[in-house]
Amino acid sequence: MKMDQIDDILPDGRLFLAGEWREGTGAEITSVFPADGRVNRVLRGASAADGQEAIARAKAVQADPAWRVLKPHERARHLYRIADGIEANIDRISMIQSCDTGKTLRETAALAASAAGTFRYYGAVLETMDDELTAQRADSLTLSVHEPLGLVAAITPWNSPIASDAQKVAPALAAGNAVLLKPASWSPLTALELARIVEEAGLPRGLFSVLPGAGREIGNLLVEHPDIARVSFTGGTSTGRMIARKAAEKLMPVSLELGGKSPTIVFDDADMDLALAGVLFGIFSSSGQSCIAGSRLFVQRGVYDTFVGRLVAATRALRVGHPFDAATQVAPLIHEDHRREVAAHVAAALEAGAELLCGGAAPEGDAYAGGSYYLPTILAGVKNTDRICREEVFGPVLAVLPFDDEEDVIAQANDNDYGLACGIWTSDFRKAWRVGRAIRSGTIWHNTYKQFSISTPFGGEGDSGTGREKGRQGLRAYMAQKSFYTDMTGAPHPWAADTVRAT
Ligand code: NAD
């Protein structure tokens, strides 16, 4: 596809405000193609006033029984139609997302396919999730039922737009809510494309809004507004912490999927080829812009030199290139500003005494001109307490450390504020079980990394957040549980029975 043809498929930049396409009235935001710095779109983001309007309209539509009390199998049909719409448009979504984020087309196509799967899964969960008849303690029928919360705000980051959007929007809609989605300002276009698909799928107008715009403006409004019953947030830890404070003030439930500094552990009995491929994929795929990036690598001393030697050679051989080139493994970072931040982390680590094994710079040559590329980078000679091992870089930067034994590596892996993911490479599954159970982390991967299933819960510990998404219970996170008792005796309550008989 030529660049001028791409322009035809990019969303025009209008917001999707409760079923209506219109210009925002908030601060300007710019979507840039990270491979060459070309501007995709300049758009006016949503203002607080736009948000107020979307909330008011969503409230009216959500309260309408036509949506609120729709039978599960009927509401599920809406989700199946959205899934079909995404699947029918995978190439288009993939192209828009690659322009918006600089990710490879291969990756964005996989993200779009997974988003379709998420909508289909939550349609199926909705159809098959039962309420409970609970054990009786008296002559009454006792039920635990679930109802929609009302209005849900989904606030998402830029690194995997359509997948993280779907992970929130699908269960929230399935649960019978209205959803207001605020994508990140560096990647507003993918969510607007999702809005087009949702509209085409015939979801009642007003139930879904896509409101890109500044976090401090529209993001803030969504968090603070009294009609928003839940915020589902994915993003950085400092933003998440601020949202949690505001949620506490409102006594509003919130789920927070935050940052990570995930350890990857290679024991000396690991299958080295398997571990090598897994470690490379774990840190350098998505150019390291992944919450679960395996950014701290612990290698057992017996194999340290051999393994790290091979790792550096393999890293140098990774193909850094254009997102549209099918051979590319490492595409540009999201934005020039982000590349500067990544480079600053590396510079600070080198100043603090780290040894640069490879990378540590932008690639040179015409092919990279104007793009925000950064070479896959490995640093050694660091301590687990150094800043480079504690702070999330969110780029293709790996810190490598040796370890002695199980006890040592468990202590080092756990000596960190984050607790999102961990990879363990060993041929001994009992060892993987012992170590995996001892490490504070929402997800453990043994002899694999970054593998996901929508049926399996996901979330973090510590500074990586709170709450879980995905899985069957992921639907319940967007519902209010209600207990319902019906008397089966037909007799007046003994406490007042005499009094009643006497009157
Ligand atoms: P960010 O925290 O800067 O922004 C995330 C979202 O929050 C954006 O939409 C942003 O506009 C919005 N926001 C900013 N200020 C706000 C405010 N005051 N009120 C409400 N909303 C506000 O994060 P980012 O740079 O877009 O994304 C990168 C971060 O996301 C990394 O830390 C990464 O680890 C994390 N992340 C976590 C997961 C996970 O599942 N744990 C997944 C992907 C990314």
Side-chain angles (χ1 to χ4, degrees):
M1 196 181 277
K2 298 214 176 74
M3 280 332 245
D4 52 343
Q5 291 173 304
I6 291 173
D7 195 60
D8 293 340
I9 66 163
L10 292 177
D12 62 13
R14 283 175 303 159
L15 316 181
F16 189 61
L17 195 154
E20 192 188 323
W21 291 98
R22 62 148 94 151
E23 292 270 318
T25 61
E28 204 170 82
I29 53 179
T30 306
S31 160
V32 169
F33 183 38
D36 57 16
R38 181 179 52 87
V39 171
N40 294 314
R41 286 281 181 267
V42 179
L43 52 132
R44 292 286 300 277
S47 64
D50 294 330
Q52 298 269 16
E53 195 181 332
I55 289 171
R57 289 212 225 159
K59 196 177 170 185
V61 181
Q62 196 277 332
D64 188 332
W67 175 249
R68 205 181 148 80
V69 299
L70 213 55
K71 299 277 178 296
H73 68 283
E74 293 165 341
R75 202 183 299 131
R77 269 190 227 129
H78 285 282
L79 282 106
Y80 297 143
R81 276 201 295 271
I82 296 171
D84 291 345
I86 294 174
E87 256 161 13
N89 284 281
I90 282 189
D91 289 346
R92 183 184 163 108
I93 299 169
S94 167
M95 183 58 79
I96 292 170
Q97 192 173 352
S98 286
C99 288
D100 217 11
T101 62
K103 283 174 176 287
T104 63
L105 288 173
R106 190 167 44 161
E107 184 181 350
T108 51
L111 290 170
S114 108
T118 299
F119 276 95
R120 190 157 289 127
Y121 174 79
Y122 277 108
V125 169
L126 176 63
E127 286 204 64
T128 56
M129 194 93 162
D130 296 326
D131 282 325
E132 279 178 278
L133 183 66
T134 55
Q136 289 169 286
R137 302 290 290 212
D139 277 341
S140 62
L141 195 63
T142 53
L143 299 160
S144 170
V145 297
H146 296 81
E147 290 174 357
L149 290 171
L151 268 54
V152 168
I155 303 180
T156 54
W158 43 261
N159 62 315
S160 314
I162 192 129
S164 46
D165 297 349
Q167 216 165 290
K168 299 177 186 312
V169 174
L173 283 179
N177 301 292
V179 184
L180 297 103
L181 169 64
K182 195 210 93 60
S185 300
W186 277 345
S187 60
L189 301 181
T190 316
L192 291 168
E193 176 64 7
L194 178 63
R196 188 188 68 78
I197 289 165
V198 170
E199 183 184 38
E200 266 186 21
L203 191 79
R205 281 162 71 86
L207 278 177
F208 184 53
S209 289
V210 175
L211 304 170
R216 65 187 175 282
E217 194 172 6
I218 179 67
N220 215 24
L221 174 92
L222 292 175
V223 175
E224 290 183 347
H225 198 286
D227 287 336
I228 297 292
R230 181 184 186 90
V231 168
S232 176
F233 173 78
T234 298
T237 299
S238 58
T239 319
R241 192 166 269 128
M242 191 181 53
I243 289 175
R245 276 194 212 106
K246 291 182 178 172
E249 199 55 47
K250 269 173 73 180
L251 294 180
M252 171 180 71
V254 64
S255 61
L256 303 168
E257 302 283 355
L258 309 178
K261 195 77 203 177
S262 298
T264 310
I265 299 164
V266 178
F267 282 99
D268 54 14
D269 63 356
D271 176 320
M272 289 298 146
D273 285 359
L274 216 69
L276 206 50
V279 168
L280 287 168
F281 179 65
I283 180 63
F284 297 128
S285 61
S286 309
S287 306
Q289 302 167 114
S290 167
C291 54
I292 47 173
S295 51
R296 281 186 300 153
L297 172 64
F298 296 97
V299 185
Q300 200 158 18
R301 282 192 200 278
V303 291
Y304 183 90
D305 288 342
T306 333
F307 188 82
V308 175
R310 285 187 68 191
L311 181 66
V312 170
T315 301
R316 288 205 173 104
L318 289 173
R319 293 180 298 274
V320 179
H322 197 280
F324 297 170
D325 181 343
T328 293
Q329 290 167 294
V330 181
L333 300 178
I334 180 85
H335 199 274
E336 183 51 33
D337 290 353
H338 186 51
R339 176 168 70 171
R340 260 197 295 275
E341 284 169 21
V342 169
H345 276 284
V346 173
L350 294 176
E351 205 164 300
E355 182 192 351
L356 183 68
L357 299 187
C358 61
E364 288 174 4
D366 291 347
Y368 307 109
S372 41
Y373 292 90
Y374 196 79
L375 285 172
T377 298
I378 302 182
L379 299 166
V382 294
K383 291 191 294 304
N384 190 39
T385 46
D386 290 350
R387 270 181 59 197
I388 193 69
C389 292
R390 305 205 79 85
E391 294 175 359
E392 185 183 44
V393 174
F394 220 59
V397 178
L398 177 67
V400 189
L401 304 104
F403 73 92
D404 297 320
D405 52 23
E406 281 181 42
E407 196 186 341
D408 176 29
V409 80
I410 290 168
Q412 291 202 66
N414 281 341
D415 182 14
N416 198 275
D417 295 334
Y418 293 107
L420 194 57
C422 167
I424 300 171
W425 300 89
T426 171
S427 303
D428 179 349
F429 79 89
R430 290 187 186 85
K431 191 194 294 179
W433 178 250
R434 276 193 307 274
V435 174
R437 294 304 296 259
I439 286 177
R440 189 182 71 143
S441 172
T443 295
I444 300 286
W445 284 294
H446 171 211
N447 288 348
T448 182
Y449 205 85
K450 273 193 172 183
Q451 207 169 65
F452 280 122
S453 153
I454 184 64
S455 331
T456 312
F458 177 75
E461 303 278 318
D463 276 7
S464 293
T466 166
R468 293 290 181 270
E469 291 192 321
K470 302 186 173 182
R472 291 177 69 78
Q473 293 306 322
L475 180 73
R476 292 295 190 227
Y478 294 97
M479 303 192 92
Q481 185 277 339
K482 179 178 280 177
S483 301
F484 203 110
Y485 293 76
T486 298
D487 171 70
M488 301 302 280
T489 65
H493 196 284
W495 186 84
D498 290 349
T499 321
V500 170
R501 256 183 245 120
T503 55

